[in-house]
Amino acid sequence: MKQATTSGTHPALRSPLLAGISIVLGVVLSGSIITAMLLRFTSVEESSLPYFAYGINALALLSGGWISGRQAGHRGWLYGGLTGIIYVVLVLIIGFLAFNTQMRVQPVLFTLCATGIAAIGGIFGVNAGNR
């Protein structure tokens, strides 16, 4: 017997992790496009590109964790942290398959930072949720 949902939407669309990852990927994509436009049409130099990348990733993880925690309504640190871990796994898989990168210490540090930033976003998201 098929269970009816309260809002009439598919249960996967209400998943906090799916919503968080969607936001993270959307922010990263739009931030990358904006950065490319800045590099092309302004006097911003390529040497500042790592700062843009770190800033875009931090903003994306914070907002994805926030959305994930807010949609979950509880345990924001867990849902935010899991959002960060899923994002890191996606980035590592893409890097390994597309660019044939080797495993180093840097991905471990990236995983810890991404999980922490997204967990903080999840904590803020739970506390900003509708009560």
Side-chain angles (χ1 to χ4, degrees), residues 13-113:
L13 297 177
R14 294 181 295 148
S15 167
L17 294 177
L18 184 61
I21 288 297
S22 299
I23 294 298
V24 169
L25 294 177
V27 171
V28 167
L29 179 65
S30 58
S32 298
I33 291 171
I34 291 170
T35 301
M37 299 297 248
L38 284 173
L39 286 171
R40 172 69 175 103
F41 297 114
T42 65
S43 62
V44 175
E45 297 181 14
E46 284 186 32
S47 62
S48 61
L49 193 57
Y51 302 112
F52 281 108
Y54 293 137
I56 290 168
N57 278 302
L59 180 67
L61 287 163
L62 192 65
S63 60
W66 188 81
I67 291 293
S68 181
R70 182 168 183 204
Q71 195 161 0
H74 65 289
R75 294 186 184 159
W77 63 273
L78 178 64
Y79 284 100
L82 287 174
T83 300
I85 290 172
I86 291 170
Y87 174 68
V88 168
V89 168
L90 286 174
V91 168
L92 291 177
I93 288 172
I94 290 170
F96 179 73
L97 293 176
F99 302 111
N100 197 21
T101 59
Q102 301 295 322
M103 288 300 290
R104 298 183 307 255
V105 175
Q106 187 177 6
V108 174
L109 182 62
F110 178 55
T111 303
L112 292 174
C113 290

